[in-house]
Coordinates of all heavy atoms in Angstrom, one line a residue:
M1 N 0.8 -1.2 0.0 CA 0.0 0.0 0.0 C 0.9 1.2 0.0 O 1.8 1.3 0.8 CB -0.9 0.0 1.2 CG -1.8 1.1 1.3 SD -3.0 0.9 2.7 CE -2.8 2.5 3.5
T2 N 0.5 2.2 -0.8 CA 1.3 3.4 -0.9 C 0.8 4.4 0.1 O -0.4 4.6 0.2 CB 1.1 4.1 -2.3 OG1 1.6 3.1 -3.3 CG2 2.0 5.3 -2.5
T3 N 1.7 5.1 0.8 CA 1.3 6.1 1.8 C 1.4 7.4 1.2 O 2.3 7.7 0.3 CB 2.2 6.0 3.0 OG1 3.6 6.3 2.6 CG2 2.1 4.7 3.7
L4 N 0.5 8.3 1.6 CA 0.5 9.7 1.1 C 0.8 10.6 2.3 O -0.1 10.9 3.0 CB -0.8 10.0 0.4 CG -1.2 9.1 -0.8 CD1 -2.6 9.4 -1.2 CD2 -0.2 9.2 -1.9
P5 N 2.1 10.9 2.5 CA 2.5 11.6 3.7 C 2.2 13.1 3.9 O 2.3 13.6 4.9 CB 4.0 11.3 3.8 CG 4.4 11.2 2.4 CD 3.2 10.6 1.7
Y6 N 1.7 13.7 2.8 CA 1.5 15.2 2.9 C 0.1 15.5 2.7 O -0.6 15.0 1.8 CB 2.4 15.9 1.8 CG 3.8 15.6 1.9 CD1 4.5 14.6 1.1 CD2 4.6 16.2 3.0 CE1 5.8 14.3 1.3 CE2 5.9 15.8 3.1 CZ 6.5 14.9 2.3 OH 7.8 14.6 2.5
K7 N -0.4 16.3 3.6 CA -1.9 16.7 3.6 C -2.0 18.2 3.5 O -1.4 18.9 4.3 CB -2.5 16.1 4.9 CG -4.0 16.4 5.0 CD -4.7 15.7 6.1 CE -4.3 16.2 7.4 NZ -5.1 15.7 8.5
I8 N -2.9 18.6 2.7 CA -3.3 20.0 2.6 C -4.6 20.2 3.4 O -5.5 19.4 3.3 CB -3.6 20.4 1.1 CG1 -2.4 20.3 0.3 CG2 -4.1 21.9 1.1 CD1 -2.6 20.5 -1.2
E9 N -4.5 21.1 4.4 CA -5.7 21.3 5.3 C -6.0 22.8 5.5 O -5.1 23.6 5.3 CB -5.5 20.6 6.6 CG -4.3 21.1 7.4 CD -4.1 20.3 8.7 OE1 -4.5 19.1 8.8 OE2 -3.5 20.9 9.6
S10 N -7.2 23.0 5.9 CA -7.6 24.4 6.3 C -8.9 24.3 7.1 O -9.6 23.3 7.0 CB -8.0 25.2 5.0 OG -8.4 26.5 5.3
S11 N -9.1 25.3 8.0 CA -10.3 25.4 8.8 C -11.5 25.9 8.0 O -12.6 25.8 8.4 CB -10.1 26.2 10.0 OG -9.7 27.5 9.7
S12 N -11.2 26.6 6.8 CA -12.2 27.1 5.9 C -12.2 26.2 4.6 O -11.2 25.6 4.3 CB -11.9 28.5 5.5 OG -11.8 29.4 6.7
P13 N -13.3 26.3 3.9 CA -13.4 25.5 2.7 C -12.3 26.0 1.7 O -12.2 27.2 1.5 CB -14.8 25.8 2.1 CG -15.6 26.1 3.3 CD -14.6 26.8 4.2
I14 N -11.6 25.1 1.0 CA -10.6 25.5 0.1 C -11.2 25.5 -1.3 O -11.9 24.6 -1.7 CB -9.4 24.4 0.1 CG1 -8.7 24.5 1.4 CG2 -8.4 24.7 -1.0 CD1 -7.6 23.4 1.6
V15 N -10.9 26.6 -2.0 CA -11.3 26.7 -3.4 C -10.0 26.7 -4.3 O -9.1 27.6 -4.1 CB -12.0 28.1 -3.6 CG1 -12.4 28.3 -5.1 CG2 -13.2 28.2 -2.7
A16 N -9.9 25.7 -5.1 CA -8.7 25.6 -6.0 C -8.6 26.8 -6.9 O -9.6 27.1 -7.6 CB -8.6 24.3 -6.7
S17 N -7.5 27.5 -7.0 CA -7.4 28.6 -8.0 C -6.8 28.2 -9.3 O -6.7 29.0 -10.2 CB -6.6 29.7 -7.3 OG -5.3 29.3 -7.1
L18 N -6.3 27.0 -9.4 CA -5.8 26.5 -10.7 C -6.9 25.7 -11.4 O -7.6 24.9 -10.8 CB -4.6 25.6 -10.4 CG -3.4 26.3 -9.8 CD1 -2.3 25.3 -9.5 CD2 -2.8 27.3 -10.8
P19 N -7.0 25.8 -12.7 CA -7.9 25.0 -13.5 C -7.6 23.5 -13.4 O -6.5 23.1 -13.3 CB -7.8 25.5 -14.9 CG -6.9 26.7 -14.9 CD -6.2 26.7 -13.6
R20 N -8.7 22.7 -13.4 CA -8.6 21.3 -13.4 C -7.9 20.7 -12.2 O -7.2 19.6 -12.3 CB -8.0 20.8 -14.7 CG -8.8 21.2 -15.9 CD -8.2 21.0 -17.2 NE -7.6 19.7 -17.4 CZ -6.8 19.5 -18.4 NH1 -6.5 20.4 -19.3 NH2 -6.2 18.3 -18.5
T21 N -7.9 21.4 -11.1 CA -7.3 20.8 -9.8 C -8.5 20.6 -8.9 O -9.4 21.3 -8.9 CB -6.3 21.7 -9.2 OG1 -6.8 23.0 -8.9 CG2 -5.1 21.8 -10.1
N22 N -8.4 19.6 -8.1 CA -9.4 19.2 -7.1 C -8.8 19.2 -5.7 O -8.8 18.2 -5.1 CB -10.1 17.9 -7.5 CG -11.3 17.6 -6.6 OD1 -11.8 18.5 -6.0 ND2 -11.7 16.4 -6.6
V23 N -8.4 20.4 -5.3 CA -7.8 20.6 -4.0 C -8.9 20.9 -3.0 O -9.7 21.7 -3.2 CB -6.7 21.7 -3.9 CG1 -6.2 21.9 -2.5 CG2 -5.6 21.4 -4.9
R24 N -8.9 20.1 -1.9 CA -9.9 20.4 -0.8 C -9.3 20.0 0.5 O -8.2 19.4 0.5 CB -11.2 19.6 -1.1 CG -11.0 18.1 -1.1 CD -12.2 17.4 -1.5 NE -12.1 15.9 -1.4 CZ -11.4 15.2 -2.3 NH1 -10.8 15.8 -3.3 NH2 -11.3 13.9 -2.2
D25 N -9.9 20.4 1.6 CA -9.4 20.1 2.9 C -9.2 18.6 3.0 O -10.1 17.8 2.7 CB -10.3 20.6 4.0 CG -9.8 20.5 5.3 OD1 -8.6 20.6 5.5 OD2 -10.6 20.2 6.3
G26 N -8.0 18.2 3.4 CA -7.8 16.8 3.7 C -7.1 16.1 2.5 O -6.9 14.9 2.5
S27 N -6.9 16.8 1.4 CA -6.2 16.2 0.2 C -4.9 15.7 0.6 O -4.1 16.4 1.3 CB -6.0 17.3 -0.9 OG -7.3 17.6 -1.5
R28 N -4.6 14.4 0.2 CA -3.3 13.8 0.6 C -2.5 13.6 -0.7 O -3.1 13.2 -1.7 CB -3.6 12.5 1.3 CG -4.4 12.7 2.5 CD -3.9 12.4 3.9 NE -2.8 11.6 4.1 CZ -2.7 10.8 5.1 NH1 -3.8 10.6 5.9 NH2 -1.6 10.1 5.3
L29 N -1.2 13.8 -0.6 CA -0.3 13.7 -1.8 C 1.0 13.0 -1.4 O 1.4 13.1 -0.2 CB 0.0 15.1 -2.3 CG -1.2 15.9 -2.8 CD1 -0.9 17.4 -2.9 CD2 -1.7 15.4 -4.2
A30 N 1.6 12.4 -2.4 CA 2.9 11.8 -2.1 C 4.1 12.7 -2.2 O 5.1 12.5 -1.7 CB 3.1 10.6 -3.1
S31 N 3.9 13.8 -3.0 CA 5.0 14.7 -3.3 C 4.9 16.0 -2.4 O 3.9 16.7 -2.4 CB 5.0 15.1 -4.7 OG 5.8 16.2 -5.0
R32 N 6.0 16.3 -1.7 CA 6.0 17.5 -0.9 C 6.0 18.7 -1.7 O 5.2 19.7 -1.4 CB 7.3 17.5 0.0 CG 7.6 18.8 0.7 CD 8.9 18.7 1.5 NE 9.1 19.9 2.2 CZ 10.0 20.1 3.1 NH1 10.8 19.0 3.5 NH2 10.2 21.2 3.7
E33 N 6.7 18.7 -2.8 CA 6.7 19.9 -3.7 C 5.4 20.2 -4.3 O 4.9 21.3 -4.4 CB 7.8 19.7 -4.9 CG 9.2 19.6 -4.4 CD 9.6 18.2 -3.9 OE1 8.8 17.3 -3.9 OE2 10.8 18.1 -3.4
L34 N 4.7 19.1 -4.8 CA 3.3 19.3 -5.3 C 2.4 19.8 -4.3 O 1.6 20.7 -4.5 CB 2.8 18.0 -5.9 CG 1.5 18.1 -6.6 CD1 1.4 19.1 -7.7 CD2 1.1 16.7 -7.1
A35 N 2.4 19.3 -3.1 CA 1.5 19.7 -2.0 C 1.7 21.2 -1.7 O 0.7 21.9 -1.6 CB 1.7 18.8 -0.8
V36 N 3.0 21.6 -1.6 CA 3.2 23.0 -1.3 C 2.8 23.9 -2.4 O 2.2 25.0 -2.2 CB 4.7 23.2 -0.9 CG1 5.1 24.7 -0.8 CG2 5.0 22.5 0.4
S37 N 3.1 23.5 -3.7 CA 2.7 24.3 -4.8 C 1.2 24.5 -4.9 O 0.7 25.6 -5.1 CB 3.2 23.6 -6.1 OG 4.6 23.6 -6.1
L38 N 0.4 23.4 -4.7 CA -1.0 23.5 -4.8 C -1.6 24.3 -3.6 O -2.5 25.1 -3.8 CB -1.6 22.1 -4.8 CG -1.4 21.3 -6.1 CD1 -2.0 19.9 -5.9 CD2 -2.1 21.9 -7.2
A39 N -1.0 24.1 -2.4 CA -1.5 24.9 -1.3 C -1.2 26.4 -1.5 O -2.0 27.3 -1.2 CB -0.8 24.4 0.0
A40 N 0.0 26.7 -2.1 CA 0.3 28.1 -2.3 C -0.6 28.8 -3.3 O -0.9 30.0 -3.2 CB 1.7 28.2 -2.8
K41 N -1.2 28.0 -4.2 CA -2.1 28.6 -5.2 C -3.6 28.5 -4.8 O -4.5 28.9 -5.5 CB -1.9 27.9 -6.6 CG -0.6 28.2 -7.2 CD -0.5 29.6 -7.6 CE 0.7 29.9 -8.4 NZ 0.7 31.3 -8.8
S42 N -3.8 27.9 -3.7 CA -5.2 27.7 -3.2 C -5.7 28.9 -2.4 O -4.9 29.6 -1.7 CB -5.3 26.4 -2.3 OG -5.1 25.3 -3.1
I43 N -7.0 29.1 -2.4 CA -7.6 30.2 -1.7 C -8.8 29.6 -0.9 O -9.2 28.5 -1.2 CB -8.1 31.3 -2.6 CG1 -9.0 30.8 -3.7 CG2 -7.0 32.1 -3.1 CD1 -9.6 31.9 -4.6
T44 N -9.2 30.3 0.1 CA -10.4 29.8 0.9 C -11.6 30.7 0.7 O -11.5 31.8 0.3 CB -10.0 29.8 2.4 OG1 -9.7 31.1 2.9 CG2 -8.9 28.9 2.7
D45 N -12.7 30.1 1.0 CA -14.0 30.8 0.9 C -14.7 30.7 2.3 O -15.1 29.6 2.6 CB -14.9 30.2 -0.2 CG -16.1 31.1 -0.4 OD1 -16.1 32.2 0.0 OD2 -17.1 30.5 -1.0
P46 N -14.8 31.8 3.0 CA -14.4 33.2 2.7 C -12.9 33.4 2.8 O -12.2 32.6 3.4 CB -15.1 34.0 3.8 CG -15.2 33.1 5.0 CD -15.3 31.7 4.4
P47 N -12.4 34.5 2.1 CA -11.0 34.8 2.2 C -10.5 35.0 3.6 O -11.3 35.4 4.5 CB -10.9 36.1 1.4 CG -12.1 36.2 0.6 CD -13.2 35.4 1.3
G48 N -9.2 34.8 3.8 CA -8.6 35.0 5.2 C -8.4 33.7 5.9 O -7.8 33.8 7.0
G49 N -8.8 32.6 5.4 CA -8.5 31.3 6.1 C -7.1 30.9 5.9 O -6.4 31.4 5.0
V50 N -6.6 30.0 6.8 CA -5.2 29.6 6.7 C -5.2 28.2 6.0 O -5.9 27.3 6.3 CB -4.6 29.4 8.1 CG1 -3.2 28.8 8.1 CG2 -4.6 30.7 8.8
V51 N -4.3 28.1 5.0 CA -4.0 26.9 4.3 C -2.7 26.3 4.7 O -1.7 27.1 4.7 CB -4.1 27.1 2.7 CG1 -3.8 25.8 2.0 CG2 -5.4 27.7 2.3
R52 N -2.6 25.1 5.1 CA -1.4 24.5 5.6 C -1.1 23.2 4.8 O -2.0 22.5 4.4 CB -1.5 24.1 7.0 CG -1.7 25.3 8.0 CD -1.9 24.8 9.4 NE -3.1 24.0 9.5 CZ -4.3 24.6 9.7 NH1 -4.5 25.9 9.7 NH2 -5.4 23.8 9.8
V53 N 0.2 22.8 4.8 CA 0.7 21.5 4.3 C 1.3 20.9 5.5 O 2.2 21.4 6.2 CB 1.7 21.6 3.2 CG1 2.2 20.2 2.8 CG2 1.0 22.2 1.9
V54 N 0.8 19.7 5.9 CA 1.3 19.0 7.1 C 1.9 17.6 6.6 O 1.4 16.9 5.8 CB 0.1 18.7 8.0 CG1 0.6 17.9 9.2 CG2 -0.5 20.0 8.5
H55 N 3.1 17.3 7.2 CA 3.7 16.0 7.1 C 3.0 15.1 8.1 O 3.2 15.2 9.3 CB 5.2 16.1 7.3 CG 5.9 14.8 7.0 ND1 6.6 14.1 8.0 CD2 6.1 14.1 5.9 CE1 7.1 13.1 7.5 NE2 6.8 13.0 6.2
V56 N 2.2 14.2 7.6 CA 1.3 13.5 8.5 C 2.0 12.6 9.5 O 1.7 12.6 10.6 CB 0.3 12.6 7.6 CG1 -0.5 11.7 8.5 CG2 -0.6 13.5 6.8
P57 N 3.1 11.9 9.1 CA 3.7 11.0 10.1 C 4.3 11.7 11.3 O 4.3 11.2 12.4 CB 4.9 10.3 9.3 CG 4.4 10.3 7.9 CD 3.6 11.6 7.7
T58 N 4.8 13.0 11.1 CA 5.4 13.7 12.2 C 4.5 14.8 12.7 O 4.7 15.3 13.8 CB 6.7 14.4 11.7 OG1 6.4 15.3 10.7 CG2 7.7 13.4 11.3
G59 N 3.5 15.3 11.9 CA 2.6 16.4 12.4 C 3.2 17.7 12.1 O 2.7 18.7 12.5
E60 N 4.4 17.8 11.5 CA 5.1 19.0 11.2 C 4.4 19.8 10.1 O 4.1 19.3 9.1 CB 6.5 18.7 10.8 CG 7.3 20.0 10.5 CD 8.7 19.7 10.0 OE1 9.1 18.5 9.8 OE2 9.5 20.6 9.8
V61 N 4.2 21.1 10.4 CA 3.6 22.0 9.4 C 4.8 22.5 8.5 O 5.7 23.1 9.0 CB 2.9 23.2 10.0 CG1 2.4 24.2 9.0 CG2 1.7 22.7 10.9
L62 N 4.7 22.1 7.2 CA 5.8 22.4 6.3 C 5.5 23.8 5.6 O 6.5 24.4 5.1 CB 5.9 21.3 5.2 CG 6.1 19.9 5.8 CD1 6.0 18.9 4.7 CD2 7.4 19.9 6.5
F63 N 4.3 24.2 5.5 CA 3.9 25.4 4.7 C 2.6 25.9 5.3 O 1.7 25.1 5.6 CB 3.8 25.1 3.2 CG 3.3 26.3 2.4 CD1 4.1 27.2 2.0 CD2 1.9 26.4 2.1 CE1 3.7 28.3 1.3 CE2 1.5 27.5 1.4 CZ 2.3 28.4 1.0
S64 N 2.5 27.2 5.4 CA 1.3 27.8 5.9 C 1.1 29.2 5.3 O 2.1 29.9 5.2 CB 1.3 27.9 7.5 OG 0.2 28.5 8.0
K65 N -0.1 29.6 4.9 CA -0.3 30.9 4.4 C -1.8 31.3 4.8 O -2.6 30.5 4.9 CB -0.1 31.0 2.9 CG -1.2 30.4 2.1 CD -1.2 30.8 0.7 CE -2.5 30.5 0.0 NZ -2.7 31.2 -1.2
V66 N -2.0 32.6 4.8 CA -3.3 33.2 5.0 C -3.8 33.5 3.6 O -3.1 34.2 2.8 CB -3.3 34.5 5.8 CG1 -4.7 35.1 5.9 CG2 -2.8 34.2 7.2
S67 N -5.0 33.0 3.3 CA -5.5 33.1 2.0 C -6.2 34.4 1.8 O -6.8 35.0 2.7 CB -6.5 32.0 1.7 OG -7.3 32.2 0.6
G68 N -6.1 35.0 0.6 CA -6.8 36.2 0.2 C -7.1 36.2 -1.3 O -6.4 35.5 -2.0
W69 N -8.1 36.9 -1.7 CA -8.5 36.9 -3.1 C -7.5 37.8 -3.9 O -7.4 37.6 -5.1 CB -9.9 37.4 -3.2 CG -10.9 36.5 -2.7 CD1 -11.6 36.6 -1.5 CD2 -11.4 35.3 -3.3 NE1 -12.4 35.5 -1.4 CE2 -12.3 34.7 -2.4 CE3 -11.1 34.6 -4.5 CZ2 -13.0 33.5 -2.7 CZ3 -11.7 33.4 -4.7 CH2 -12.7 32.9 -3.9
G70 N -6.9 38.8 -3.2 CA -6.0 39.7 -4.0 C -6.8 40.7 -4.7 O -8.0 40.7 -4.8
E71 N -6.0 41.7 -5.2 CA -6.6 42.8 -6.0 C -6.4 42.6 -7.5 O -5.3 42.2 -7.9 CB -6.0 44.1 -5.6 CG -6.3 44.5 -4.1 CD -7.7 44.8 -3.9 OE1 -8.4 45.4 -4.8 OE2 -8.2 44.4 -2.8
L72 N -7.4 42.8 -8.3 CA -7.2 42.7 -9.7 C -7.0 44.1 -10.3 O -7.8 45.0 -10.0 CB -8.4 42.1 -10.3 CG -8.8 40.6 -9.9 CD1 -10.1 40.2 -10.5 CD2 -7.6 39.7 -10.3
D73 N -5.9 44.2 -11.1 CA -5.7 45.5 -11.7 C -6.4 45.6 -13.0 O -6.4 44.6 -13.8 CB -4.2 45.7 -12.0 CG -3.4 45.8 -10.7 OD1 -4.0 46.4 -9.7 OD2 -2.2 45.4 -10.7
E74 N -7.1 46.7 -13.3 CA -7.8 46.8 -14.5 C -7.2 47.8 -15.4 O -6.6 48.7 -15.0 CB -9.3 47.2 -14.3 CG -10.0 46.1 -13.6 CD -11.5 46.4 -13.4 OE1 -12.0 47.3 -14.1 OE2 -12.1 45.9 -12.5

């Protein structure tokens, strides 16, 4: 059985900001780099939630950010 040691989590619902990605709270991945990349591009609804990547076996938080929608320049 393959273990997926990296988990993306948030206390708010996660909305993937990249097309064709299905990132949600509790998503588990095998790659640390992919988990951090997807978490960095994810936002929460409502904005302001914290998105984290956790190494499940140790419980260590590897990445954390406060989500925001950002400003769009017109």
